[in-house]
Amino acid sequence: MALALSEIDFQQVVNPGTVIKTYGGTTTDVQRVNAKRLHYLKLDRAYQRAVLELNKALGIRSRKPRNIVDYTGTILELLGKFYTIQDTAKVMAKEYRIKIPEEELKKFYVENRDLITRRRAEYVLQNKDFRIATETGRLEVLNNMLVEVELKNKQAGGSNVDYCNLIIKILEQARKEIKGNELKMTVDGKIDINAS
């Protein structure tokens, strides 16, 4: 591999797998770097929680908001994954216990628009590698789910209401995948989901 894992800044690089692929890395290298990134994110969250616990133990109850710069990497990652400003604020409040005003996030977005756009492009490229990014892949997943739920329903006696409802939802989602989410109108003005 031309690029060493130690050369990747996990705080700034949203999709290290793409970077590794670009520099000629193998699928194993991509899997290793993605695992390291997940480990980094877990450590980062643990660190943030530890800081909160330490401050709590020391009796530090600062009402002033923490500096948004401390969370630049996290915020860029969320916005790079197409989170809205509102969703980003909610995640930061829930996971990191930092309340960032939406106006400040909007300003951050404008200041970092180029970087966020690049990260979004990387994210879209990354997602094309998943089988659920294609209709065939999604149908395959839905079919596997359907078979699994049908087997569980048979084991439960064949008339479990929860399993039956889940089967109906899976079938409806499969119909949407095949025909789209459009409702078709018949000549007499009635809605017909079977019309094509």
Side-chain angles (χ1 to χ4, degrees):
M1 177 171 57
L3 186 70
L5 291 179
S6 61
E7 296 177 44
I8 296 177
D9 181 2
F10 290 113
Q11 187 174 13
Q12 297 299 319
V13 177
V14 174
N15 186 2
T18 303
V19 175
I20 295 296
K21 278 185 193 175
T22 303
Y23 285 95
T26 65
T27 305
T28 306
D29 296 331
V30 171
Q31 290 171 344
R32 275 197 352 229
V33 76
N34 286 335
K36 291 231 184 246
R37 173 137 173 67
L38 290 174
H39 183 67
Y40 162 78
L41 291 173
K42 189 186 296 184
L43 290 175
D44 185 49
R45 287 188 181 111
Y47 168 77
Q48 297 300 335
R49 287 187 194 107
V51 168
L52 289 171
E53 290 299 317
L54 178 64
N55 287 342
K56 188 177 178 182
L58 295 174
I60 300 172
R61 296 175 189 244
S62 174
R63 291 286 180 212
K64 64 180 182 178
R66 285 174 272 173
N67 192 346
I68 193 171
V69 173
D70 296 339
Y71 299 94
T72 298
T74 303
I75 295 168
L76 285 173
E77 179 181 354
L78 293 171
L79 293 172
K81 289 183 175 180
F82 293 94
Y83 279 66
T84 64
I85 297 292
Q86 295 80 10
D87 291 342
T88 302
K90 287 177 188 174
V91 169
M92 295 305 294
K94 185 176 180 185
E95 296 229 354
Y96 296 95
R97 291 178 170 64
I98 174 174
K99 292 187 179 184
I100 303 173
E102 289 183 14
E103 288 302 316
E104 193 172 343
L105 281 173
K106 287 177 185 174
K107 182 180 173 189
F108 179 88
Y109 180 89
V110 170
E111 291 171 354
N112 295 285
R113 182 174 291 167
D114 292 339
L115 185 55
I116 292 167
T117 303
R118 191 181 86 220
R119 286 180 178 222
R120 285 182 172 181
E122 289 175 0
Y123 184 70
V124 167
L125 287 174
Q126 172 193 8
N127 285 340
K128 288 185 179 178
D129 294 339
F130 296 113
R131 67 182 176 155
I132 62 169
T134 65
E135 181 181 337
T136 305
R138 289 189 297 272
L139 287 171
E140 181 183 350
V141 170
L142 287 169
N143 188 58
N144 292 340
M145 290 171 58
L146 180 63
V147 169
E148 189 175 319
V149 174
E150 285 177 332
L151 290 173
K152 287 181 180 180
N153 189 34
K154 284 180 185 175
Q155 289 175 349
S159 59
N160 184 304
V161 175
D162 292 332
Y163 287 136
C164 290
N165 286 334
L166 188 53
I167 289 170
I168 290 169
K169 289 178 183 178
I170 293 170
L171 290 172
E172 178 63 20
Q173 185 61 38
R175 183 196 64 79
K176 288 179 183 177
E177 288 296 328
I178 295 168
K179 292 191 174 191
N181 205 9
E182 298 177 15
L183 294 176
K184 308 288 183 178
M185 300 288 277
T186 60
V187 177
D188 59 356
K190 294 181 181 174
I191 295 175
D192 182 5
I193 62 170
N194 296 318
S196 52

